[in-house]
Amino acid sequence: MPPRPQLLHEPRTVEVPRIRHAPILGTRIVAWPDETACATFAKGLASRPALRDAYLELHGGLGAGKTTFVRHLLRALGVTGRIKSPTYAVVEPYEVDGLAISHFDFYRFDDAREWEDAGLRELFAAPGLKLAEWPQQAAAMLPLPDLRLLIEVDDGEGRRVELQACTPRGLELLR
């Protein structure tokens, strides 16, 4: 057995931050060749009872279709009136048929104090549907998503969407 190397310093314990890696319980790939396919998918998802208290993360580059998908989903749920991206407000609340819906956009989120100041902890703890664009900007504060949508532009107009279920509720939505 080779001799142990001599240490140049005393061994010490190092605190390593725990990074939350969501378990993936199931995946599915869908294609949205055009916006009509996106709307059809959103309508199907809106019909699922498990969506009423779900948290969905939407990932994709600028122009991938995250906000477009949210608009179609909100319309399918019965939201009327103007649906806008909450890029500057961080969150846009909606309510339809007793369902509270919070649409978050963390693109400009860069200060953890905003989380507390804006009351986001309370919003995520409350019942209702939560939709988050750019969740990686606030990943340390966010709960585990039920369903993650990874949206990629595919040949200009089309989209390739990987759905990842991270909870049993996410699996219900994946089916």
Side-chain angles (χ1 to χ4, degrees), residues 18 42 46 72 83 116 130 141 161:
R18 291 175 43 133
H72 287 299
I83 297 173
E116 295 297 331
K130 288 92 175 167
M141 276 89 38
V161 184

Side-chain angles (χ1 to χ4, degrees), residues 15-85:
E15 289 290 323
V16 177
R18 291 175 43 133
I19 299 173
R20 176 186 57 118
H21 293 282
I24 299 173
L25 304 179
T27 62
R28 189 172 77 169
I29 306 291
V30 296
W32 297 341
D34 52 29
E35 193 170 333
T36 302
C38 174
T40 300
F41 176 83
K43 186 175 181 180
L45 193 60
S47 71
R48 299 179 180 267
L51 188 70
R52 293 189 66 81
D53 202 29
Y55 166 44
L56 277 58
E57 284 188 351
L58 306 166
H59 295 264
L62 288 170
K66 298 177 298 296
T67 303
T68 299
F69 166 73
V70 169
R71 284 187 182 122
H72 287 299
L73 183 61
L74 294 177
R75 289 281 181 239
L77 289 167
V79 173
T80 58
R82 187 166 181 239
I83 297 173
K84 58 184 180 172
S85 176

Side-chain angles (χ1 to χ4, degrees), residues 52-132:
R52 293 189 66 81
D53 202 29
Y55 166 44
L56 277 58
E57 284 188 351
L58 306 166
H59 295 264
L62 288 170
K66 298 177 298 296
T67 303
T68 299
F69 166 73
V70 169
R71 284 187 182 122
H72 287 299
L73 183 61
L74 294 177
R75 289 281 181 239
L77 289 167
V79 173
T80 58
R82 187 166 181 239
I83 297 173
K84 58 184 180 172
S85 176
T87 301
Y88 293 99
V90 179
V91 63
E92 286 291 334
Y94 301 92
E95 186 161 341
V96 62
D97 296 330
L99 172 63
I101 304 167
S102 297
H103 176 200
F104 301 89
D105 186 330
F106 294 111
Y107 184 72
R108 288 177 166 64
F109 188 86
D110 63 359
D111 185 351
R113 289 178 294 192
E114 287 181 72
W115 182 260
E116 295 297 331
D117 294 345
L120 300 179
R121 180 186 312 274
E122 291 79 13
L123 286 174
F124 271 91
L129 173 61
K130 288 92 175 167
L131 307 164

